[in-house]
Amino acid sequence: MRVGLLTGGGDVPGLNAAIRAVVKRGEGEYGHSIIGFRNGWRGVVDGASEPMTRQHIRNVLPVGGTLLGTARYHPHKSDGGLDAVMATLEAERIEALICIGGDGTLHAASKVAEAGIRIVAIPKTIDNDVWGTDQSIGFDTAVTIATEAIDRIHTTAESHNRVMIVEVMGRHAGWIAATAGIAGGAELVLTPEEPFDIDRIERFLKHRHRAHASFSIVVVAEGAVPAEGTAMHYETQVGKFGEIVAGAIGERLKAEIEQRTGFDTRVTVLGHVQRGGTPTPTDRILGSRFGVAAIDAVARGESNVMTALRGERVELVPLSEIAGKVKHVPDDLLAVARALA
Amino acid sequence: MRVGLLTGGGDVPGLNAAIRAVVKRGEGEYGHSIIGFRNGWRGVVDGASEPMTRQHIRNVLPVGGTLLGTARYHPHKSDGGLDAVMATLEAERIEALICIGGDGTLHAASKVAEAGIRIVAIPKTIDNDVWGTDQSIGFDTAVTIATEAIDRIHTTAESHNRVMIVEVMGRHAGWIAATAGIAGGAELVLTPEEPFDIDRIERFLKHRHRAHASFSIVVVAEGAVPAEGTAMHYETQVGKFGEIVAGAIGERLKAEIEQRTGFDTRVTVLGHVQRGGTPTPTDRILGSRFGVAAIDAVARGESNVMTALRGERVELVPLSEIAGKVKHVPDDLLAVARALA
Amino acid sequence: MRVGLLTGGGDVPGLNAAIRAVVKRGEGEYGHSIIGFRNGWRGVVDGASEPMTRQHIRNVLPVGGTLLGTARYHPHKSDGGLDAVMATLEAERIEALICIGGDGTLHAASKVAEAGIRIVAIPKTIDNDVWGTDQSIGFDTAVTIATEAIDRIHTTAESHNRVMIVEVMGRHAGWIAATAGIAGGAELVLTPEEPFDIDRIERFLKHRHRAHASFSIVVVAEGAVPAEGTAMHYETQVGKFGEIVAGAIGERLKAEIEQRTGFDTRVTVLGHVQRGGTPTPTDRILGSRFGVAAIDAVARGESNVMTALRGERVELVPLSEIAGKVKHVPDDLLAVARALA
Amino acid sequence: MRVGLLTGGGDVPGLNAAIRAVVKRGEGEYGHSIIGFRNGWRGVVDGASEPMTRQHIRNVLPVGGTLLGTARYHPHKSDGGLDAVMATLEAERIEALICIGGDGTLHAASKVAEAGIRIVAIPKTIDNDVWGTDQSIGFDTAVTIATEAIDRIHTTAESHNRVMIVEVMGRHAGWIAATAGIAGGAELVLTPEEPFDIDRIERFLKHRHRAHASFSIVVVAEGAVPAEGTAMHYETQVGKFGEIVAGAIGERLKAEIEQRTGFDTRVTVLGHVQRGGTPTPTDRILGSRFGVAAIDAVARGESNVMTALRGERVELVPLSEIAGKVKHVPDDLLAVARALA
């Protein structure tokens, strides 16, 4: 059996663990040929593929990124994209396709599945906002990196009596902000789930610095927004198409806080470091388990499903169930972040 | 309200996060007095306590160990132990007691609860074998340390064509061995759950080294044992009371493999480094969530319960349900370890 | 004997090791009283001090920042500053003052020494540009953090075919850029020592991406500047007083490269994370050795000197010799960075 | 020009940085062919070689171990070894040979040089005891790993009131013990340089635990020995040929301390983890600089020399000057370790 494999969307640590598991298990247990496509759906459209063997996956477990390459290209959004995908899959005699990706890749996958291709998906995103699974590949490493950064900033904040803003990833959901905020002991955590009240922030910081503390750490997700009706002095910069720009909310908050409180305020935008480097054990294990579960699902004839972590177990959920949904940070986790500020 | 707090059994990273959460939430939300006992049940028996304030918990999130100290003392196993506990709790006017610990501490806690004291327990153990919760405090950090060690040993194994044995903790369950084995890409994982067949190991290593590979990594839990009827040349050393001794199984395997295969074989016993140092974000978050949940449970009048992680949620389970049970590594996780060898 | 102690300028990891060494050795070997001033020269001017004992320095070795606090205040630059310093030192009966700091603090120290106070200085700066010593406290940790970040960005660059710019600290000298650039395998390293030619960079990147590579990593010191006569499209933003602004050169390079090559280019400004967190062993050892050497120098009656690393030895150099000099990256190190691009 | 390259002795982190530098610079600057021999001198004797190209060295900077493999084989110690070496070098038309290794490899190199082969050596050893250079490749990473382990053990020691012994590498010199002992804040550091007095250790620990402290950390080099005339209860185990056995001195100290003081004492033998894994920036930079210096030396016609770090510079020293010498830890560093206990 010939099984296709691709990684799409932004790269995250742990992708190679999933690739390795698919190849090792597919070849070793089932005798499948695993055909890797380069740069996500782009490589399917272009017919850029190569058979993956044990040689390709040697020593890749601790390596971040994806040895298949990736791209933010979605075939269903471009003219003839889906046709080109179908043509390649037919030419390559691909009987099933394992797609590792986030929202965009999974959406494309369900479109391809509608066209009759057998699809098993594996969720990855450092934002952890894929619906239907407790965790996605890449999230744990991102939280670890963000927490390390907050730890570092903590010592410098304390030495200098400053307000330190740390902007982390999370456009639609504040998973990294909430968890790294708790782990790093942040005084304030701002997420897309809870639009913030800048007047309250001003009061909080003034009270805190008057009362006892000499510094504060504010962790803000890039998708955090002020509550409606909040009067702010500065506008957040947006991209050409109205999209969120890294650093925009962090810089805006800094300007606002400095103007309102007079406190020396600095902003650090973590950016790309959050998605690179050696994956944590959790992401390697999750990638490995998802990879094994995906190739096992292919072998059992499953289609149009996604591997998902549910408590201690890996299960399959229909792709149709997760489409168009964002998994937000639950209230009790946000409550813990608030309680420990 | 006066709430007692203690940490018992072996120390693990993440205890301070739980202590901090209990103190911060208890004082800030409920106005409780949190009374910390020194060195686990030992401090209750001896009346060694002090009120915990925000001052005590400054900057403790990234610090391993426990600022309360701990001891492997169990009051119900010594004459007059329980009476001394009750006397202290009465003298100190403790209305509820939060106990952070593993099997032994939790067992003592249920004995104290039977005597009429309100108890809320928080599970911690790097072995992750407390029943009723997906994860216990300390496990994630231990897996991270063990995986780092396997990564390091990997490069030296490869450079020297050796069999490298890494002995990790886990007397009754092989959680660290299985997860760090998967994350580190071990060729063999030996756990208490699956007694090993030394003849099969011999055949596997010989075949592997003949076929293609120049080295092998074997991860073994300290509680791993040979299958019944297996003929081995060397006996595992046991302690005075028949207990498991760190390093014993590792050294025995080394002797056995060298004699059977002639391969240069080395053993590394990770030992105490697995339970120390800065906790991972996962352990800080778990400790924080459990601490908040425990003090909230106290405030709601709950008793004789343990905080537990179930999927994405923190819940309470009756202490009676978990007593005497060991949470073993599930078959599907062991299967992944085998599949990716 | 009463010995004053202060940390001035930006905080760096390893300061606490030096403080600990001064206190432990001063108290234990010589029976001195060590008087710590809060927030650098600010605390001397304000008379904010406290006696430092073994209790203060428990467990501080692995902790970043400075337990004395610090400030970027220079008494010789403000009216009456030096007089206030002298008044406090007299009132506190300080017989010698140990100053831990960078250029600014050391300059202030030499002014105070001229006024008749016995001074022993200890160099710290993540920029490593203090003249007269092979290394200053904080540099090794900063390089380690910057290298880790480049490692992380490497995997994401490779997965996405991008030019990734990493801006690191270094206003007057490119130590972090050169060393982390070599350690991280950067394709281009831009330092204040070698003004860059943007046309050459354009040709290099185009050639490299045409020839074989799919990505490039450019490490740039915040003080890097274009060579005179270079025509660039974008101006670097400067601060109100003409000073260097973090992120300015990185963003400018990004704009320039994108416009000239059309390659997808991203910039990461490491910022404050470079100066925080647990010090590396090298910085702890350097801090410890400098602290011991400083208090020994005080005991021997030395004055107006700075501790310095020279090869494997710690020596003393006259403060007068280092004033006004910047230690630049030597040519052979820049040559290695170029050779391995 | 055809230049041979080998790595001999125990593997250490940073070897790949040196290999990469030799290949990149040799090929890029000089157009040399670099011929890599497998497994040190073993591969020269066996004629196991392959031309090294840029392809081989991609992404190796952060990878520990050596991509050439290594072995503890010395041709001058086996019959016909040197003749076989000369035969291979002639058959392969090798004009110069770059040898990366420790004492044993360097000694073999000087023997080969005597036979008329052009040799440039690069020092590596985690023990840091190669004479003539401030630092050898691998040392900084080993110290970092050992310090991390001591940090971890610190928190568990403190939580449990124990004496914790950490045995680190160092048979003839105590570099790791002294530096990691200072960096980790050990109470006692035992090195080969200073034979220890067990009676004094007993008095020190008893006094310390009586006075104030609840725990102690003892860092011991594997080559540490008791002072002559010291009466000890336990003998240190030695190997078949009288050689030092890992763990022997640690276990012996543990037995001795427990018997004399009654304190709960545990020993951790770091072992192979000290020599594996990602190299620190310092080791990557040192490897890169040494690699460039070695191939430059070859190009200039130098022979029978070793690259050496002297302060901030890389220089060449005659191999003849370093033969048979051990670089011991200098007194002032040992004094710092003692002063800060």
Side-chain angles (χ1 to χ4, degrees), chain A residues 25-40:
Chain A
R25 176 84 168 169
E27 197 183 285
E29 176 74 16
Y30 302 111
H32 293 340
S33 296
I34 308 296
I35 311 300
F37 290 98
R38 297 283 318 156
N39 300 331

Side-chain angles (χ1 to χ4, degrees), chain A residues 9-11 38-39 63-67 69-72 141 145 148-153 155-162 164 266-278, chain C residues 9-11 38-39 63-67 69-72 141 145 148-153 155-162 164 266-278:
Chain A
D11 74 303
R38 297 283 318 156
N39 300 331
V63 179
T66 161
L67 56 94
T70 185
R72 292 184 195 271
T141 306
I145 297 168
E148 252 177 47
I150 299 171
D151 280 356
R152 294 195 187 286
I153 282 166
T155 60
T156 203
E158 207 169 347
S159 301
H160 284 285
N161 309 334
R162 283 174 180 157
M164 301 294 276
R266 306 292 171 95
V267 60
T268 300
V269 180
L270 289 190
H272 292 283
V273 293
Q274 290 166 89
R275 58 186 331 118
T278 296
Chain C
D11 72 303
R38 297 284 318 158
N39 301 329
V63 179
T66 161
L67 57 94
T70 184
R72 292 185 195 271
T141 305
I145 295 168
E148 254 177 46
I150 298 171
D151 280 356
R152 296 195 186 286
I153 281 166
T155 60
T156 203
E158 207 169 347
S159 301
H160 284 284
N161 310 335
R162 282 174 181 158
M164 301 293 276
R266 306 291 171 97
V267 62
T268 300
V269 180
L270 289 190
H272 292 283
V273 293
Q274 290 166 89
R275 55 186 333 117
T278 296

Side-chain angles (χ1 to χ4, degrees), chain D residues 216-238:
Chain D
S216 296
I217 290 181
V218 180
V219 176
V220 56
E222 56 186 353
V225 288
E228 263 182 68
T230 301
M232 287 178 69
H233 298 90
Y234 301 89
E235 283 303 304
T236 296
Q237 185 194 358
V238 293

Side-chain angles (χ1 to χ4, degrees), chain B residues 14 17 91 113 122 228 234 256 312 320 330 333:
Chain B
I122 294 176
E228 263 183 66
Y234 300 88
E256 204 78 30
E312 291 184 312
S320 56
L333 200 58

Side-chain angles (χ1 to χ4, degrees), chain B residues 9-11 39 63-66 69-72 141 145 148-149 151-153 155-162 164 266-278, chain D residues 9-11 39 63-66 69-72 141 145 148-149 151-153 155-162 164 266-278:
Chain B
D11 74 304
N39 300 329
V63 179
T66 160
T70 185
R72 292 185 195 271
T141 306
I145 296 168
E148 253 177 47
D151 280 357
R152 294 195 188 284
I153 281 167
T155 60
T156 203
E158 208 169 346
S159 301
H160 284 284
N161 310 334
R162 284 174 181 157
M164 300 294 276
R266 306 291 171 98
V267 61
T268 301
V269 180
L270 289 189
H272 291 283
V273 294
Q274 290 166 89
R275 56 186 332 119
T278 296
Chain D
D11 74 303
N39 300 330
V63 179
T66 161
T70 186
R72 292 185 194 270
T141 307
I145 295 168
E148 253 178 48
D151 280 357
R152 294 195 187 286
I153 282 167
T155 60
T156 202
E158 208 169 346
S159 300
H160 285 283
N161 309 334
R162 283 175 181 156
M164 301 293 277
R266 306 291 172 97
V267 60
T268 300
V269 180
L270 289 188
H272 291 282
V273 294
Q274 289 166 89
R275 57 186 331 118
T278 296

